[in-house]
Amino acid sequence: MLRPLVLGSTVVLALSGCPDAGEGDADTGSSTTDSTTGSSTGSSTSAEDTLGTTSVGTTSVDTTTTEADSSSGGEMIELADLPVGWEDWAIIGMTDRTDGGDASTIRLVVGNDTAVEAARSGDTSPWPEGSILVDVVWTDGGNGFSADMVAPDTFGAIAVMEKDSDRFAATGGWGYAIFRGDDLMPAEPDVIANPADDVDESTCYGCHNSRVPDQDFVFTMPLPLPTAMDIGAAEAHVNGMTLDEGLLEWRFISVHHRLANTQMRVVLGNQTAVDAARAGDTNPWPEGTVLADVVFAASAAGLEDWPDMIAPQSLAAIAVMERDAATFAMTGEWGYALWANGAGGLAPGGADGVADDDTTCFGCHNIFVGGANDFVFTSPGPLPSP
C-alpha cells in the first residue's frame, strides 16, 4: 500500500537521525546502500554559530566558530561550520525517510571536493581529513503529474559533518551541525552532542557514536555511480544524443522516489538548466537545457538497520532530456534518450519517438505533463534564499 504523501511546511521529527529518537530536536539522518557489499548506512549532523571564511580544498567554509556551552554537561562543544557554496557541490548519496507525518523527508547528500573524491574512489574507511558532507533535507511532497512520485516539497534544513580530527577530537574527529529553514538558522548545542553522555541517541554525535563507530561515524555510503570512463564509453543514442563525460560533476536540480517501480532518482542539470532552476525560469525551460535523471533501483522495504529509510541499491539507467527546438520539433522541442545499465555497461535503449500512448518517452511526457509544465515532470527542489 502506498503511504500518503505529506505536504506540510514544517520539519518536526525530520531532524531525528535515529529510528527510535524521541520527540523534539535531534540529528538529521540519511543513508544509501553499498552496491558492492549490500551493507547499508546513513549520514547525520547538527549546528551552531559560525562566520568568517577560509578554504578547505577548493571550497570556502565559515570558520569563526563559537564554542557552545552545553546545559547538560557544561562542557564546550565544538561545532561544524556552515559551508559556503554547498548547493553547487557534487552528489554523494540520497534517501527517502518514511518516518510519517512531517518527519517524512527526502534527502540528498553532497560533498566538497575532498569528500567527493573519496566517495568516488571508495576511500571512505576512514574518510580523509577535510571531508565535508552536507545532507539537504526536504519535506516529502507529491508531484501533480505522477501520483506515485515522492518529491521535495519545502526546504527543511542542511545537516553538516566536517572531518577534522584535531578540532573535533571529542566527537570522533567529526564536527556536526544543523542549519534550519530559509535563513539557515543553527540548531542548539544539545542537538549536536551531550558531553555527559556520548551515546545519547537524541543527539547527532551520540547517535553516530552508538550505531556506526566502525564506519568512521558516518551512516552514508556513496551512491553506486558509473565512472566518467563508463559514461564516456556509452554509444550515442539513435537520435544523436550523447552522454556528457562530465555529467557526474553537474549540479543537482532535484531528487524523487518512484513508489510504483521502486526507483530513486537524482536529477542533474547542465549550466543552462541549473541557472534556470535557481532563477525559477523553468516553464518553459530555456534552449540548451539538458536534464539528466540518474536512476537507481531500490527496495520497497527500508534498510535492515533502519526500516524507515529507503535508499538506492544499484544503478539502473541514465535518462536525458535535451531542449533543442530545431532538432526535436516533433517531440515538444525536447530530445529524449535513455542508457540502461547492464553487464556491458551503459547501452542506449528506450523509445523516444512520437506516440499517442505512454509507450514512448515523449508519449508519456506529452500525455501526463504536456505544455502545462513544458513536458517536464521534475520541479526543482527548493533551496534557501541567496
Side-chain angles (χ1 to χ4, degrees):
M1 181 177 69
L2 301 184
R3 61 188 171 88
L5 301 181
V6 178
L7 299 179
S9 61
T10 60
V11 178
V12 182
L13 293 180
L15 299 183
S16 174
C18 299
D20 56 354
E23 294 187 5
D25 291 328
D27 82 320
T28 302
S30 162
S31 169
T32 56
T33 299
D34 188 327
S35 61
T36 304
T37 65
S39 61
S40 59
T41 58
S43 164
S44 166
T45 49
S46 307
E48 185 39 21
D49 283 339
T50 52
L51 285 172
T53 305
T54 188
S55 62
V56 176
T58 61
T59 306
S60 294
V61 297
D62 293 339
T63 56
T64 306
T65 302
T66 301
E67 290 185 336
D69 185 5
S70 169
S71 60
S72 59
E75 298 179 27
M76 304 305 280
I77 304 169
E78 187 81 7
L79 302 173
D81 302 313
L82 173 62
V84 175
W86 58 267
E87 64 273 18
D88 296 327
W89 290 358
I91 59 171
I92 287 180
M94 77 164 289
T95 58
D96 185 14
R97 286 280 299 276
T98 62
D99 302 62
D102 287 340
S104 290
T105 56
I106 192 163
R107 305 165 180 228
L108 177 69
V109 181
V110 298
N112 68 346
D113 291 346
T114 302
V116 169
E117 183 177 350
R120 304 279 169 87
S121 65
D123 184 25
T124 61
S125 184
W127 290 78
E129 292 293 309
S131 293
I132 304 177
L133 303 173
V134 172
D135 202 357
V136 188
V137 183
W138 294 279
T139 55
D140 271 358
N143 182 292
F145 306 105
S146 179
D148 75 329
M149 186 183 293
V150 179
D153 181 23
T154 58
F155 174 80
I158 63 169
V160 182
M161 289 185 70
E162 180 181 347
K163 183 69 175 285
D164 185 331
S165 295
D166 292 330
R167 182 177 168 200
F168 306 117
T171 49
W174 288 94
Y176 299 83
I178 293 172
F179 300 91
R180 296 189 177 100
D182 196 52
D183 295 329
L184 295 177
M185 294 298 293
E188 46 285 323
D190 280 355
V191 174
I192 284 68
N194 177 357
D197 187 352
D198 62 5
V199 292
D200 176 359
E201 291 199 354
S202 69
T203 68
C204 296
Y205 172 62
C207 181
H208 285 241
N209 186 50
S210 66
R211 291 179 175 268
V212 286
D214 58 341
Q215 294 172 183
D216 195 21
F217 305 95
V218 177
F219 285 98
T220 296
M221 292 293 288
L223 290 166
L225 296 169
T227 65
M229 184 176 297
D230 294 333
I231 293 174
E235 295 180 3
H237 194 272
V238 65
N239 65 4
M241 290 174 61
T242 59
L243 283 176
D244 189 311
E245 287 190 40
L247 183 149
L248 294 182
E249 307 310 315
W250 289 4
R251 288 174 284 171
F252 68 87
I253 300 286
S254 192
V255 294
H256 54 269
H257 179 195
R258 294 288 299 273
L259 301 176
N261 58 11
T262 60
Q263 287 183 347
M264 303 186 76
R265 304 183 176 204
V266 179
V267 183
L268 305 176
N270 67 351
Q271 186 67 52
T272 301
V274 170
D275 288 346
R278 304 282 168 87
D281 183 23
T282 62
N283 196 11
W285 290 81
E287 185 76 2
T289 291
V290 183
L291 301 172
D293 238 4
V294 187
V295 184
F296 304 95
S299 170
L303 300 177
E304 182 178 351
D305 61 350
W306 204 313
D308 292 329
M309 187 177 292
I310 312 298
Q313 296 178 325
S314 61
L315 177 69
I318 299 178
V320 178
M321 290 181 67
E322 179 179 346
R323 186 66 181 265
D324 184 333
T327 304
F328 303 113
M330 295 296 292
T331 52
E333 301 184 355
W334 287 96
Y336 300 81
L338 181 143
W339 285 263
N341 186 45
L346 292 165
D352 71 328
V354 177
D356 294 329
D357 55 35
D358 60 4
T359 60
T360 68
C361 295
F362 172 67
C364 179
H365 285 243
N366 187 41
I367 291 171
F368 292 104
V369 184
N373 200 45
D374 196 22
F375 303 94
V376 179
F377 283 93
T378 297
S379 293
L383 295 175
S385 301

